[in-house]
Amino acid sequence: MVLHTSPYPSAFLSFLSRLSWAFVFPCYWLLDRLLASCVATSLEKRRRSQDPCSFLALGVLISTPLYLVLLLASLPFAFIGFLLWAPLQTVRNPYIYSHQKPDKHGAEQGTSAGTGAALAEWRPQGRSFCFGSANVCLLPDSLARFNNLADTQRRAREVGKRIRNGASRPQIKIYIDSPTNTSISAASFCSLATQGFRRTSSLDHRPEPVVTTETETEALTECPVHPSGGTSSDCPVHSTGAQNSSECPLHPNGEEHAPDCAIHQFAESSGECPVHSNINQNSEDCPLHPAGVQISITSPDSEPIEAEKGNHQTGDGDTGSLESRTASRESLVRFHAADGGISPNNTLSQHRTSVFKRPIGRKRRHGDDGFDHEISAFFPANLDFLCLQEVFDRRAADRLRRQLHRYFPFVLSDVGRYGWKGCCSRFKFLNSGLLLASRYPILDAHYECFPNGRSEDALAAKGVLFAKVQVGSSAQDQRVVGYIACTHLHAIEGDSSVRCEQLDMLLEWGAEFKRATSGPTDEEKVLEDQVAFDVVLGDLNFDNCSSEDKLEQQHALFTHYKDPCRLGPGEDKPWALGTLLDTSGLYDEEVSSPESLQKVMENEEGRKEYLVFPASKNHCPSQKGRKIPLKGNGRRIDYILYKEEGLQPDWKVDIEEFSFITQLAGLTDHLSVAARLVVSTGEEET
């Protein structure tokens, strides 16, 4: 297959398309503005009620008749442009593939944006990959207002900024073994040490305790600070003059007698240095590493990522998304800044800690509950693949793609068909709205349109985007690949049969795509690809708890793919959240920022106020102040599904983390979801 880098097969056809759109666009824009002026969001209504004589209300009164006059004047030009544009859609390519090469800054950092490091030899112990999915509701402004959202162009730019700033930050995770205590209330790392924190580092997945720097990973032995083994000149304990001296190795700034330092407190009470005392190794009394808590840092520079210059600095896109402040977490980041794990210029507003309570006796990657799950205010660090839905507006898609390209080198956008060409005879005013961004090279892509759309859903070319990505190569020079399917199903309530038919098509088309792309692509290639993962992402428009969605819940899709949030048909895991927000409350102060929305989602009563729940005859139309008991935690219609086995002999895919993400608060009516999958090859135990 050939990846289409332009919407048309020739430059002349592209020119004709641009010319026709130049005739159509004024009419399209004026119609959009005219309709938008008639539909106000709840935020605009609130402002008008507070100030009836405001400039906003005056502007609407003046602009509405002006838009109407200009719209009528532009209709003849739009008709001419439409006659030229519509036939061109029969030869238009179904997607646009764009690749942005690493910039100079990325090259200096040694990151290859998914080209060099991603194609490195596949490690015997396997790899981990992070997937994200989000419905961003980037409709034309007049249509987005029916979902209580406005200013599509601004939102598109802000969505891209928040995603790349969230995904490109180093990630700090605190794993707590205690079954009861998940609080972090210390004011400095030294006081945190007395509570049982141990520092480790993590790249692809959390390893045994080691110290990882940007340039090397070295095991340390015979050191109470590093129980994994080894000695190194980089260790503050083993550095010259540190041993058997009065200078504390954790205070490089000369604070030799800090009153709150656990090292000095222990030494003063016992007369012996706890760092150099062999009896304190792996002891519960050790202030540096008592059993109970692990702190893990993941740096995006260690992954195949094209870093934007200044990505870790708070920018325009960070407003309301990277400004959480907690004293203990801030001091934790400052502690790591001293040993090279994080730049000293970083502050807590750029790096957020995630706290997980680890079940007692839990074995990693074993059992249904053997993975981390959280409600996060940020997209996961080192996000590898991102599937977006409802990226309908063309100008908004361009703005969003430019922002995402500063983190993701490879993007498939403008997916779908327009006009009458395609899956059915109904005219398609909108494309599929799908967008796929990847840090790894895309080898093949294919789009299929659902032929059974109904009502207003039939006006958009909804379908499935399939992609084959290369994530490495084996020692025998075999390509290691993964398959991704992005989709957005029929949205009309009560049309369960339509969605089930679309799920049938998804499975059938996916099998055909794998067969078509699994064989050798040229004469030189004789070895078949090794498949690392097979993932389905998107907005399926049904949940696993509604009685109205029983047909979809029992579909064969869930026998081929695993849903990490699901116990079975009609039953989700207790921690699973709904992803569809109540549009009437999008601008409430309680959910106006990612951090505040995160807090609300962590509270059961808050979820009842701001999530959409399955419809019932006993439920009143408005969710505000509802006292009727509600089943579950809301409608979960955004999914990440994966195949566990059957990809390669002895290979297995397990989930390591699952997140419900609030970083797009105020920009869309959906919560985003993300999952990190670990691909094991069966060789790690030998």
Side-chain angles (χ1 to χ4, degrees):
M1 294 185 180
V2 178
L3 293 172
H4 306 296
T5 57
S6 64
Y8 293 93
S10 69
F12 176 71
L13 293 178
S14 297
F15 169 76
L16 290 180
S17 177
R18 290 193 295 268
L19 179 63
S20 64
W21 185 244
F23 282 100
V24 173
F25 179 74
C27 180
Y28 164 80
W29 185 84
L30 289 167
L31 178 62
D32 184 48
R33 297 318 308 159
L34 179 63
L35 296 177
S37 63
C38 300
V39 182
T41 64
S42 60
L43 180 62
E44 292 172 343
K45 292 178 181 178
R46 185 189 309 166
R47 291 175 177 173
R48 292 175 187 176
S49 63
Q50 294 173 352
D51 186 7
C53 299
S54 64
F55 176 78
L56 180 62
L58 182 61
V60 171
L61 293 175
I62 296 176
S63 61
T64 300
L66 180 62
Y67 288 148
L68 181 59
V69 171
L70 294 177
L71 175 63
L72 295 175
S74 65
L75 285 176
F77 299 97
F79 180 73
I80 296 173
F82 178 79
L83 293 178
L84 181 62
W85 174 83
L88 290 174
Q89 306 314 303
T90 59
V91 294
R92 183 185 177 276
N93 293 323
Y95 60 82
I96 299 176
Y97 167 75
S98 56
H99 171 215
Q100 179 173 298
K101 295 181 179 180
D103 57 16
K104 182 178 179 181
H105 177 69
E108 290 175 352
Q109 287 186 328
T111 59
S112 58
T115 54
L119 301 181
E121 183 176 328
W122 185 263
R123 293 175 293 180
Q125 67 271 26
R127 295 273 290 275
S128 70
F129 303 93
C130 189
F131 301 82
S133 178
N135 185 318
V136 291
C137 197
L138 294 179
L139 289 154
D141 194 47
S142 56
L143 300 181
R145 286 172 175 268
F146 288 98
N147 288 346
N148 202 22
L149 293 165
D151 202 351
T152 296
Q153 308 306 317
R154 179 196 63 81
R155 286 192 297 112
R157 185 169 54 251
E158 185 71 11
V159 165
K161 287 181 179 180
R162 291 195 187 183
I163 292 175
R164 64 178 174 81
N165 280 303
S168 61
R169 82 196 193 285
Q171 186 179 38
I172 302 173
K173 292 182 180 179
I174 301 174
Y175 294 88
I176 301 177
D177 284 336
S178 170
T180 58
N181 181 21
T182 59
S183 63
I184 304 175
S185 57
S188 68
F189 181 81
C190 289
S191 57
L192 283 174
T194 63
Q195 301 179 19
F197 284 77
R198 180 172 60 191
R199 177 167 58 92
T200 63
S201 298
S202 173
L203 295 180
D204 282 332
H205 52 275
R206 194 167 60 259
E208 294 302 319
V210 294
V211 172
T212 304
T213 64
E214 294 181 356
T215 57
E216 62 179 349
T217 303
E218 184 175 357
L220 305 177
T221 60
E222 306 299 335
C223 177
V225 180
H226 308 285
S228 58
T231 59
S232 171
S233 59
D234 293 333
C235 175
V237 176
H238 296 99
S239 60
T240 304
Q243 294 189 11
N244 303 322
S245 70
S246 61
E247 182 179 355
C248 178
L250 300 183
H251 292 89
N253 296 327
E255 300 178 6
E256 300 179 5
H257 304 286
D260 59 346
C261 177
I263 296 291
H264 295 113
Q265 292 177 354
F266 193 99
E268 290 176 2
S269 61
S270 64
E272 189 174 19
C273 177
V275 174
H276 304 104
S277 173
N278 293 329
I279 63 173
N280 290 311
Q281 293 189 19
N282 303 322
S283 168
E284 294 183 358
D285 296 330
C286 177
L288 291 180
H289 53 75
V293 179
Q294 288 187 6
I295 300 174
S296 175
I297 296 182
T298 303
S299 171
D301 291 342
S302 63
E303 293 286 323
I305 168 181
E306 177 180 359
E308 174 205 357
K309 187 172 184 179
N311 253 0
H312 305 311
Q313 302 298 327
T314 304
D316 296 337
D318 299 294
T319 304
S321 61
L322 296 175
E323 296 180 353
S324 175
R325 298 186 179 274
T326 305
S328 60
R329 295 174 177 175
E330 182 175 7
S331 58
L332 178 61
V333 171
R334 289 176 178 172
F335 171 79
H336 285 288
D339 68 355
I342 299 176
S343 170
N345 294 328
N346 291 328
T347 65
L348 187 64
S349 62
Q350 296 125 18
H351 309 291
R352 173 70 178 272
T353 57
S354 299
V355 181
F356 300 94
K357 182 184 293 185
R358 179 184 300 168
I360 296 178
R362 190 191 79 182
K363 295 183 178 180
R364 294 290 298 167
R365 302 192 294 274
H366 289 279
D368 291 339
D369 296 327
F371 61 89
D372 301 319
H373 45 81
E374 66 167 341
I375 303 172
S376 173
F378 305 94
F379 277 86
N382 303 330
L383 185 63
D384 295 305
F385 306 98
L386 177 67
C387 174
L388 300 180
Q389 303 90 48
E390 294 197 12
V391 188
F392 287 119
D393 188 86
R394 180 182 298 183
R395 292 184 299 145
D398 291 340
R399 286 177 167 84
L400 176 61
R401 184 177 65 247
R402 284 195 294 269
Q403 292 296 331
L404 293 178
H405 258 317
R406 302 171 77 172
Y407 178 83
F408 295 98
F410 311 96
V411 175
L412 294 172
S413 61
D414 200 6
V415 180
R417 297 283 190 182
Y418 298 94
W420 286 285
K421 166 75 176 183
C423 54
C424 59
S425 59
R426 289 199 178 187
F427 190 88
K428 302 297 181 183
F429 289 94
L430 301 172
N431 62 16
S432 70
L434 298 174
L435 183 148
L436 175 64
S438 171
R439 291 202 299 158
Y440 292 87
I442 299 175
L443 301 177
D444 295 296
H446 182 66
Y447 160 78
E448 290 282 356
C449 177
F450 293 132
N452 61 342
R454 295 180 184 177
S455 188
E456 62 267 24
D457 246 31
L459 301 178
K462 286 187 175 182
V464 190
L465 173 65
F466 299 97
K468 178 182 179 181
V469 296
Q470 183 173 1
V471 295
S473 59
S474 68
Q476 294 77 27
D477 201 27
Q478 288 177 278
R479 294 189 308 188
V480 182
V481 302
Y483 287 98
I484 302 173
C486 303
T487 189
H488 188 188
L489 298 189
H490 186 69
I492 307 301
E493 294 184 6
D495 286 348
S496 294
S497 59
V498 175
R499 283 186 287 272
C500 286
E501 291 175 2
Q502 293 177 347
L503 291 177
D504 291 337
M505 297 175 199
L506 187 152
L507 292 176
E508 180 183 352
W509 292 336
E512 293 177 357
F513 177 72
K514 297 180 186 70
R515 285 195 297 267
T517 60
S518 61
T521 57
D522 51 53
E523 296 180 357
E524 297 180 358
K525 181 187 173 185
V526 294
L527 297 176
E528 291 188 357
D529 295 329
Q530 292 182 313
V531 181
F533 55 80
D534 184 358
V535 179
V536 174
L537 309 96
D539 181 354
L540 304 188
N541 274 313
F542 67 86
D543 65 79
N544 193 44
C545 296
S546 296
S547 58
E548 293 83 358
D549 297 333
K550 284 185 177 180
L551 285 178
E552 298 97 316
Q553 296 163 9
Q554 300 171 359
H555 194 271
L557 175 74
F558 297 104
T559 63
H560 293 82
Y561 294 88
K562 182 174 182 179
D563 180 1
C565 302
R566 164 181 161 126
L567 288 173
E571 185 179 6
D572 274 349
K573 294 181 179 179
W575 50 264
L577 289 187
T579 58
L580 187 60
L581 296 172
D582 180 13
T583 57
S584 64
L586 293 180
Y587 301 105
D588 289 1
E589 186 177 356
E590 291 84 353
V591 295
S592 59
S593 70
E595 288 81 9
S596 59
L597 180 58
Q598 178 192 29
K599 292 179 181 178
V600 168
M601 291 297 105
E602 290 172 346
N603 180 272
E604 183 177 0
E605 294 302 320
R607 291 194 292 268
K608 291 180 180 180
E609 288 289 323
Y610 291 100
L611 286 178
V612 174
F613 281 74
S616 173
K617 295 180 180 179
N618 296 326
H619 289 172
C620 54
S622 175
Q623 296 196 178
K624 300 300 178 183
R626 184 189 320 214
K627 297 182 180 180
I628 301 175
L630 300 175
K631 179 182 178 181
N633 288 322
R635 294 200 67 202
R636 183 175 60 88
I637 64 176
D638 298 272
Y639 291 78
I640 298 180
L641 312 175
Y642 66 97
K643 281 191 175 181
E644 288 186 286
E645 298 177 344
L647 304 177
Q648 293 294 136
D650 300 326
W651 286 32
K652 188 176 181 180
V653 178
D654 291 294
I655 186 165
E656 187 178 48
E657 302 169 7
F658 194 93
S659 304
F660 295 91
I661 302 163
T662 64
Q663 193 168 10
L664 301 184
L667 301 178
T668 181
D669 57 346
H670 285 243
L671 294 181
S672 308
V673 292
R676 189 177 300 276
L677 302 180
V678 177
V679 182
S680 56
T681 63
E683 302 178 27
E684 55 185 351
E685 301 295 337
T686 61

